DNA sequence: TTGTAGGCGTTATCAT
DNA sequence: ATGATAACGCCTACAA
């Protein structure tokens, strides 16, 4: 029931003015060593800690970064968030987190709440629905504030903020090259994210590849309902000759993995599987899947670096658009 | 670059006092409709929103709940966190999140930061290291504050806070009964969490079951290094006759799943696998695993309910120790 | 119906 | 070497 002790109370208890207390605690040279010691000891005794809210008001700096992500159950976002937290911490920042569950409305709500002076900067990955409906008006409010904003992964020309993303086009091509080299001439493209800008970009890359390599037969399976996609996969895998499956996201890749198991084909021997899983999942799954590493660690780190930089320097008009060029297909290490 | 507008500025621009503005915006009956309308319109035009930090200071209520969890990459915690966020939101609360990565030191740091008036309540799952070293002193500081604290999942008698946990003992027995009924007489117990209180409790339950059912042969494999555990599993599965594997946590269960696949045994036919995975993982994995549902949704919801209750009522001395009794082993639905 | 003053906890500036 | 005062943005008695 003890309310946290304040400077005022310390001052009262010690019979000094509260400015003396404040100065003592901040090691001001104006105060005698004796008084300082007395104040500090009593403060320690009573477990005094400065009230951060009062400090935030005084300094108009909250040392808090707002993070808005679609879904924490998605391993990619979990990894990014983890690394955002780690790096924010290292800069002395905290994070307040909102999950939109891929819903526009929840994104609007979150943005509204966070634009009330609660945070010094904002890191966002917009929801699927935002892209489907192409509604970006709710970003306007935050745009003409001096709070820096950074968008990661799902970038879009309508969102003129700082951004960190991966080179989707390039990594798809590189993945396809990898499959091609392994002999694949009939490739199945599986996606549960056709609505997202990244999903579209990846599909474009696939189509480009097919155009450049007419000897390759491509099949595209897209669906937002995971349950349906697996049946579609099973159907195609049973009826057509498929050399390789390329999953465009964690879900489609894992579903493809399951489908291949179900029809009893051998991984690597009969069908190659490449996809966007991550270490975390792959570590626990058998057989291991070759995958495109999106470097969520790097994304989280860069996002924080940029935001903290802008917070300290002041939000400039010059936008940083970082694209993580690096991508690799790590080969199957199992067996 | 526009700093957010304040009540003062609105008052100045409109030529009224700032209390008039404040009252108008709060729909006070003291103010004439005409003035109210004028003020509201101008405030809307300028995009005024009350500064939450100032409000927090004024009301000494932050509408923020601090959450400290070991690891967001763990699907169980991800699910709990998600549901904490959902429910907190429904009560008008935000969450500020810290990840300890199972480290005592990070837990201490997080606790220290959050005890500076930043949050109205605290939801914590202590780290593995905290239990290993049995250091709980850092909780003292927070104990004699009036900030309500709740511990979930990893409860301990040294932590006398509100708590939400599952009936570990009961669910293990129930899981073993399930395996027994399916004919298992040689059961392998796999765990990567021997240091945690839950891990110990689960092992106790297993040993109790073996004592009560002497006809069952039990083998215990424990290790904190996942890589090592899988080799241990492979070794035992190859050399001994095992009817069923019971994984004590996500990692050991997934590793067991992989190991069974590797040695080419048939799930369900030759070996039953039961474990602590969750829907999220299981949805994407083949073959599907029977699992103990810990109801992370329920844990998250109850934790928030209790904390918000305590925040509103005032932190009472009476502790709520909720144990989620319900548990089910959902049967393999694949094929 | 409107304006003034005080206070939430802190620090910084200015006296004493 | 100390103490008083103002300010951060807001709300709310109380006064006018």
């Amino acid at each position: 029931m003890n309310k946290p002790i304040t400077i005022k109370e310390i001052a009262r208890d010690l019979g000094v003015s509260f400015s003396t207390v404040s100065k003592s605690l901040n090691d001001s040279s104006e105060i005698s060593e004796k008084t300082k010691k007395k104040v500090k000891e009593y403060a320690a005794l009573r477990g005094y800690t400065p009230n951060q809210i009062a400090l935030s008001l005084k300094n108009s700096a909250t040392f808090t970064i707002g993070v808005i992500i679609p879904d924490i159950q998605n391993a990619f976002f979990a990894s990014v968030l983890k690394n955002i937290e780690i790096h924010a911490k290292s800069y002395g920042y905290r994070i307040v987190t909102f999950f939109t569950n891929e819903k526009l409305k929840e994104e609007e709500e979150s943005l509204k709440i966070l634009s009330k002076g609660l945070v010094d900067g904002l890191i966002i990955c917009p929801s699927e629905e935002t892209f489907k409906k192409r509604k970006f008006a709710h970003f306007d409010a935050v745009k003409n504030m001096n709070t820096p904003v950074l968008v990661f992964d799902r970038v879009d020309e309508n969102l003129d903020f700082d951004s960190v993303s991966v080179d989707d086009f390039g990594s798809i091509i590189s993945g396809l090259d990898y499959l091609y080299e392994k002999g694949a001439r009939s490739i199945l493209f599986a996606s549960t994210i056709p609505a997202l800008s990244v999903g579209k970009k990846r599909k474009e890359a696939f189509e480009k590849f097919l155009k450049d390599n007419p000897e390759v037969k491509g099949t595209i399976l897209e669906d937002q309902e995971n349950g349906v996609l697996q049946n579609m996969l099973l159907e195609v895998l049973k009826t057509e000759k498929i050399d390789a499956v390329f999953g465009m996201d964690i879900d489609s890749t894992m579903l493809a993995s399951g489908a291949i198991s179900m029809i009893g084909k051998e991984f690597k021997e009969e069908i190659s599987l490449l996809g966007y899983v991550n270490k975390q999942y792959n570590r626990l799954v058998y057989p291991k899947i070759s995958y495109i590493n999106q470097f969520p660690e790097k994304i989280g780190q860069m996002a924080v670096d940029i935001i903290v930089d802008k917070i300290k320097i002041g939000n400039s008009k010059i936008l940083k658009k970082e694209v993580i060029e690096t991508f690799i297909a790590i080969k199957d290490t199992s067996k």
Side-chain angles (χ1 to χ4, degrees), chain A:
Chain A
M1 311 309 116
N2 320 326
K3 268 201 179 179
I5 190 162
T6 69
I7 281 190
K8 262 187 198 164
E9 295 171 285
I10 295 181
R12 176 171 42 70
D13 293 355
L14 257 42
V16 295
S17 83
F18 65 86
S19 64
T20 303
V21 175
S22 173
K23 284 173 188 166
S24 299
L25 294 172
N26 291 321
D27 246 330
S28 164
S29 58
E30 295 176 18
I31 305 293
S32 72
E33 286 304 325
K34 204 179 115 199
T35 320
K36 272 197 224 175
K37 197 182 161 211
K38 184 178 70 174
V39 170
K40 281 184 185 172
E41 274 173 2
Y42 186 72
L45 174 72
R46 298 294 305 272
Y48 169 81
T49 44
N51 181 310
Q52 290 300 313
I53 300 293
L55 281 178
S56 291
L57 182 62
K58 178 95 184 104
N59 306 325
S60 48
T62 61
F63 281 93
T64 305
I65 294 173
V67 181
I68 302 178
I69 55 178
D71 179 18
I72 190 57
Q73 308 231 37
N74 179 312
F76 171 69
F77 291 123
S79 181
V80 174
L81 181 65
K82 174 183 177 164
N83 287 281
I84 287 176
E85 196 262 358
I86 290 175
H87 275 85
K89 211 186 293 191
S90 78
Y91 283 118
Y93 281 79
R94 305 171 271 281
I95 60 168
V96 11
T97 318
F98 283 79
F99 308 134
T100 63
N101 301 303
E102 303 284 11
K103 296 274 179 297
L104 171 61
K105 200 180 164 190
E106 298 205 38
E107 187 170 298
E108 292 169 337
E109 283 300 317
S110 309
L111 221 41
K112 201 183 289 174
I113 294 168
L114 290 179
S115 60
K116 293 174 188 296
L118 282 169
V119 297
D120 297 343
L122 224 39
I123 297 177
I124 306 179
C125 179
S127 82
E128 209 170 309
E129 200 183 356
T130 304
F131 285 104
K132 258 192 248 169
K133 300 198 171 164
R134 301 209 65 70
K135 288 210 175 179
F136 302 101
H138 53 300
F139 286 99
D140 288 347
V142 86
K143 204 181 309 185
N144 25 10
M145 285 174 41
N146 61 351
T147 309
V149 177
L150 181 144
V151 173
F152 76 89
D153 193 49
R154 301 176 184 171
V155 299
D156 190 285
E157 55 265 21
N158 284 66
L159 297 167
D160 47 342
F161 300 109
D162 297 307
S163 70
V164 176
S165 55
V166 294
D167 175 17
D168 271 299
F169 204 93
S171 56
I172 293 293
I173 297 294
S174 141
L176 289 166
D177 284 342
Y178 165 78
L179 293 173
Y180 187 93
E181 269 171 44
K182 292 190 64 178
R185 293 298 178 271
S186 171
I187 301 176
L188 183 49
F189 172 105
S191 166
T192 69
I193 52 165
L196 296 182
S197 62
V198 287
K200 284 180 188 140
K201 218 173 284 173
R202 288 172 193 174
K203 189 167 150 190
E204 278 171 32
F206 186 60
E207 284 162 345
K208 166 83 160 48
F209 179 87
L210 293 178
K211 208 168 146 192
D212 294 347
N213 302 77
E215 70 277 24
V216 175
K217 188 193 165 213
T219 311
I220 294 179
L221 289 187
E222 289 180 321
D223 197 85
Q224 320 220 46
E225 297 298 325
N226 303 343
V228 180
L229 184 67
Q230 192 156 44
N231 287 336
M232 292 162 71
L233 283 163
L234 279 170
E235 191 58 32
V236 173
L237 287 170
K238 274 184 203 157
T239 55
E240 291 179 37
K241 187 189 175 305
I242 300 290
D243 303 324
V245 182
F246 198 172
M248 289 302 111
D249 51 309
I250 293 181
D251 280 23
S252 59
T253 308
M254 299 299 273
L255 290 171
S257 164
I260 295 171
S261 284
M262 282 186 210
I263 61 167
K265 297 241 175 166
E266 278 289 320
F267 278 88
K268 288 188 68 182
E269 311 301 318
E270 297 170 72
I271 296 186
S272 296
L273 176 59
L274 180 62
Y276 282 84
V277 296
N278 64 6
K279 253 184 291 179
Q280 189 66 14
Y281 264 65
N282 215 18
R283 182 173 60 91
L284 302 169
V285 161
Y286 177 82
K288 298 274 179 289
I289 299 167
S290 298
Y291 66 101
I292 307 276
N293 194 338
Q294 292 177 282
F295 297 111
E297 315 81 23
K298 205 178 275 183
I299 294 178
Q301 172 170 3
M302 290 182 77
V304 172
D305 281 349
I306 294 174
I307 277 295
V308 171
D309 205 51
K310 290 246 168 162
I311 290 172
K312 289 193 175 152
I313 300 300
N315 196 10
S316 79
K317 284 256 153 68
I318 305 142
L319 296 182
K320 273 200 183 168
K321 302 272 186 189
E322 292 283 352
V323 175
I324 295 175
E325 294 282 354
T326 10
F327 48 83
I328 43 165
I330 292 183
K331 284 171 200 165
D332 190 337
T333 57
S334 68
K335 281 194 177 165

